[in-house]
Amino acid sequence: MAANTNRYSSYTTASTGSDSRNGEKEKKELWSSMLDTVASAKRLPEKNILLLGGSVDSQREFFESLSKNELRRNTDRQGSRKPPIANSFALGYTYYDVLDADQEDTLARISLYTLTDPSPAFASLIQPLITPQSIPNTLIVILLDWSQPWKWMRQLREWILLLRTVFQKLNRECSATMEEVMTVWRERGRGGGLNLDGTSAVPTTSADADVSLPVGPGEWEDALGMPLCVVCQNAEKMEHLEKTQGWKEEEFDVVLQFLRTILLRHGASLIYTTPSLPSQLPTLVHSSLGIHSLLKKQPLKHNVIDRDKILVPPNWDSWGKIRVLREGFDVEAVSSGWTADLSIPWPRQPQRVANGDDQQQIEAKDNETGDEEQEPDEEEYEEPEEPDGSSVALYEASVQDPTMDALHIAGSSSHSTKLEVQTTETQQFLEKQLKLLDVYKQKNEEPTGHLARIKSVRKTTSDSLTAEDDQLKQQAEAKVLEHIGPVQFNMGGIQVDADDMLQRLKERQAFGTSPEPLSPEGETVEETPQMDTENLQAFFTGLMNRSRQS
């Protein structure tokens, strides 16, 4: 049997196996790169909004005004529920997707982080949200409400001081990123490049294409590091202030001038909103985050004429435009006063108020008592004084709280939340009231005495005239009686004197009206009917008149 002379090359077999393994690796890498490319293309841009201020309800209204159309279209397309809003405690969170104007494409996903109280304890909750990756994609929004416009400057100062405290604790990388973001925002819309709404900022001439406008006075002097937007909600309550508090156009202009002057220092935008009316709030917020429709441009138009539809975009305002609104507004003092407001230590500690005794008396009491234990007195505190030239103090002097006016609080050192009322002693109070009563009595007696004199003169004159008339009347009656003589007539064969009869009737009538003596108890006396003397008198008077006529 012949042997098999065929030979197999082990090299060829080995090389073929290695080539197949290399080919499989290349195919895997190719597929993974393709999948990564597709995933990155479908990955949504993530944007953040840090929503500060307001109440739980006002934050929900802000969220609904931004995501109304997007949530409705998402619900119709996916049949899913609206995302929950968890903002009842501390740092809240919710989100929504921004859809294109004409298509169903999702442009970005916005995450909202909400906070209602500017407490220093919440600074640690905000700091993890500020990273080098999130800073270019984050917008800070502060909510104000027209129900209490006299508190706006104080609220703005509290929130900005809280943010500055958080930003000062960030690392160098975050600080460098913030400087880059503010540089881009400062140059946006000045000369060339793009405006906030994505439209091109066309220069006036070709020579100015590469030249940006310089920053004016009071602009970008206190940049935070991230874009800022202030939203004044419930602008429909301006009519309520007119009707109940007597506000006029001057008060509304002053509020707007203060806001624009202060926000100009931070490069911030301002908008008034009304829940029942459409506004440019979604356009302003989405443009500030760099979200623009791919098919339909929505230009952002400023408005400083309609008082309930105010819109001031960033890099648009200036001191000159603020002065034009109403004359007499000191924009320089307000701008410099805001610098003093932001230089105060934060958080502010209330100052202790001495209760009754001064420091020397307190020390004397301490020395007398020695080391004996004493019960601590109740301590009273008040808010610290505002710095010199404070914009908050200027604002609150121009826009006063009507509740404070109603309470008639006297003195600048009184605590705004103090419920106790200091009273005077009873004798001192009565002494003051007695003096006031004496003054009022003297004022009332002067016209009263004059009127009394006039009345006495009139009464004396009338009494004298009445006495004279009676005397003349009696004389005339005497003359008539002397001329006529006694009146007699025959009544049933009896000669009757009419005058004597009338006199007797009068006496009987007088005797009948006099009180009768009380009869003893137990005896009953029959009452005789009283004679009608008036009819008898009329009868005899008629007879006398007839006799005289005859």
Side-chain angles (χ1 to χ4, degrees):
M1 184 176 180
N4 188 4
T5 58
N6 294 333
R7 296 180 179 179
Y8 299 94
S9 175
S10 61
Y11 174 77
T12 305
T13 305
S15 62
T16 304
S18 62
D19 292 340
S20 62
R21 286 194 295 270
N22 292 335
E24 290 177 359
K25 290 182 180 180
E26 291 178 358
K27 288 181 180 180
K28 289 182 180 180
E29 293 177 356
L30 178 62
W31 278 108
S32 61
S33 62
M34 290 176 64
L35 292 174
D36 292 340
T37 304
V38 174
S40 61
K42 291 185 177 182
R43 187 179 296 120
L44 292 177
E46 295 183 358
K47 307 292 183 178
N48 301 320
I49 294 178
L50 184 58
L51 186 60
L52 307 176
S55 61
V56 174
D57 295 333
S58 61
Q59 289 180 352
R60 291 176 182 270
E61 291 178 0
F62 173 82
F63 174 73
E64 291 175 358
S65 62
L66 284 181
S67 58
K68 184 185 302 180
N69 297 329
E70 282 75 6
L71 289 178
R72 183 173 62 251
R73 283 188 280 185
N74 275 338
T75 303
D76 296 341
R77 183 176 61 178
Q78 300 176 0
S80 58
R81 297 181 179 180
K82 296 181 180 179
I85 305 175
N87 63 336
S88 299
F89 304 100
L91 186 67
Y93 175 77
T94 187
Y95 70 94
Y96 72 97
D97 294 336
V98 181
L99 303 179
D100 202 344
D102 295 336
Q103 295 182 356
E104 296 296 330
D105 296 336
T106 303
L107 300 178
R109 170 164 290 182
I110 297 180
S111 298
L112 275 83
Y113 300 92
T114 63
L115 190 64
T116 57
D117 187 10
S119 174
F122 297 147
S124 59
L125 301 178
I126 301 176
Q127 188 171 357
L129 304 177
I130 311 301
T131 61
Q133 293 76 24
S134 64
I135 289 174
N137 301 314
T138 302
L139 172 67
I140 301 174
V141 178
I142 298 178
L143 297 182
L144 303 175
D145 199 320
W146 267 107
S147 60
Q148 295 178 333
W150 43 86
K151 296 182 178 180
W152 284 0
M153 291 299 105
R154 193 174 294 272
Q155 292 173 354
L156 281 175
R157 182 178 65 179
E158 293 295 323
W159 285 115
I160 291 176
L161 288 176
L162 174 63
L163 292 173
R164 293 180 67 174
T165 303
V166 174
F167 295 162
Q168 289 174 359
K169 298 179 181 179
L170 299 176
N171 53 30
R172 294 181 179 179
E173 186 178 1
C174 291
S175 300
T177 306
M178 285 184 174
E179 292 180 1
E180 295 177 359
V181 170
M182 289 293 96
T183 302
V184 174
W185 270 83
R186 191 180 296 109
E187 300 299 329
R188 179 173 292 182
R190 297 179 181 274
L194 296 176
N195 293 324
L196 183 65
D197 54 4
T199 59
S200 60
V202 181
T204 55
T205 60
S206 58
D208 299 334
D210 298 332
V211 179
S212 61
L213 298 176
V215 177
E219 299 181 25
W220 291 99
E221 294 186 3
D222 295 317
L224 291 176
M226 288 190 293
L228 173 65
C229 177
V230 175
V231 180
C232 301
Q233 296 179 308
N234 300 321
E236 74 280 359
K237 294 182 180 179
M238 300 170 73
E239 297 182 0
H240 178 73
L241 293 174
E242 281 185 329
K243 296 178 181 179
T244 60
Q245 308 299 336
W247 278 39
K248 299 180 181 179
E249 293 295 333
E250 182 178 358
E251 281 79 5
F252 295 112
D253 291 342
V254 169
V255 172
L256 182 57
Q257 285 178 320
F258 268 94
L259 284 175
R260 291 171 60 181
T261 304
I262 290 172
L263 297 181
L264 189 64
R265 299 181 62 87
H266 303 289
S269 56
L270 173 66
I271 186 172
Y272 290 1
T273 61
T274 303
S276 59
L277 298 177
S279 66
Q280 300 187 71
L281 178 63
T283 304
L284 176 62
V285 172
H286 295 163
S287 300
S288 300
L289 291 171
I291 304 173
H292 305 289
S293 176
L294 301 177
L295 300 177
K296 183 180 179 181
K297 297 295 183 181
Q298 296 180 351
L300 195 62
K301 299 179 181 179
H302 64 273
N303 187 354
V304 293
I305 298 176
D306 301 330
R307 70 178 189 181
D308 58 342
K309 300 178 181 178
I310 297 297
L311 173 59
V312 181
N315 292 334
W316 177 86
D317 213 351
S318 63
W319 280 6
K321 295 176 182 178
I322 296 174
R323 290 192 183 99
V324 170
L325 185 60
R326 184 170 293 274
E327 297 181 357
F329 181 74
D330 194 352
V331 63
E332 293 88 351
V334 174
S335 181
S336 60
W338 189 247
T339 304
D341 287 323
L342 298 183
S343 62
I344 61 176
W346 191 86
R348 307 185 71 186
Q349 299 295 334
Q351 298 178 354
R352 180 180 176 182
V353 181
N355 189 8
D357 299 330
D358 57 3
Q359 189 66 22
Q360 295 179 356
Q361 293 177 351
I362 294 175
E363 293 177 356
K365 291 180 180 179
D366 294 339
N367 295 330
E368 292 176 0
T369 55
D371 298 334
E372 296 179 359
E373 295 183 357
Q374 293 182 351
E375 296 183 358
D377 297 334
E378 295 183 358
E379 298 180 352
E380 297 181 359
Y381 294 91
E382 65 177 1
E383 294 183 359
E385 297 181 358
E386 302 295 341
D388 295 336
S390 169
S391 296
V392 175
L394 295 175
Y395 179 80
E396 293 180 350
S398 302
V399 185
Q400 298 182 357
D401 186 355
T403 58
M404 305 301 291
D405 295 339
L407 294 175
H408 298 285
I409 294 181
S412 59
S413 62
S414 59
H415 188 38
S416 60
T417 60
K418 186 177 179 180
L419 300 178
E420 294 82 1
V421 178
Q422 295 181 357
T423 59
T424 58
E425 295 183 0
T426 305
Q427 296 300 327
Q428 295 179 357
F429 174 76
L430 294 176
E431 184 180 359
K432 293 180 181 179
Q433 296 300 320
L434 180 60
K435 294 179 181 179
L436 295 176
L437 291 175
D438 292 339
V439 174
Y440 291 142
K441 186 177 180 181
Q442 293 177 0
K443 292 181 180 179
N444 294 331
E445 285 180 353
E446 293 178 357
T448 304
H450 182 65
L451 293 174
R453 288 193 296 271
I454 295 175
K455 289 182 180 180
S456 62
V457 172
R458 290 180 178 177
K459 185 176 181 180
T460 305
T461 305
S462 61
D463 293 343
S464 61
L465 293 176
T466 304
E468 293 178 358
D469 293 341
D470 294 341
Q471 188 177 3
L472 292 175
K473 185 177 181 180
Q474 292 177 0
Q475 293 177 0
E477 290 179 353
K479 290 181 180 180
V480 171
L481 292 176
E482 290 177 358
H483 179 71
I484 296 176
V487 178
Q488 295 180 354
F489 55 90
N490 189 358
M491 183 177 178
I494 300 174
Q495 197 71 16
V496 180
D497 189 354
D499 293 335
D500 184 49
M501 185 62 71
L502 289 174
Q503 185 66 27
R504 290 181 180 180
L505 290 173
K506 290 180 180 180
E507 292 176 357
R508 182 176 293 181
Q509 185 178 5
F511 179 76
T513 56
S514 61
E516 298 179 355
L518 297 175
S519 60
E521 296 181 358
E523 297 181 359
T524 59
V525 179
E526 294 182 358
E527 297 181 356
T528 57
Q530 186 177 359
M531 298 178 63
D532 192 356
T533 57
E534 294 182 357
N535 293 334
L536 290 175
Q537 182 179 357
F539 173 73
F540 287 111
T541 303
L543 292 177
M544 291 174 61
N545 292 335
R546 290 179 184 176
S547 62
R548 289 175 182 174
Q549 290 177 359
S550 60

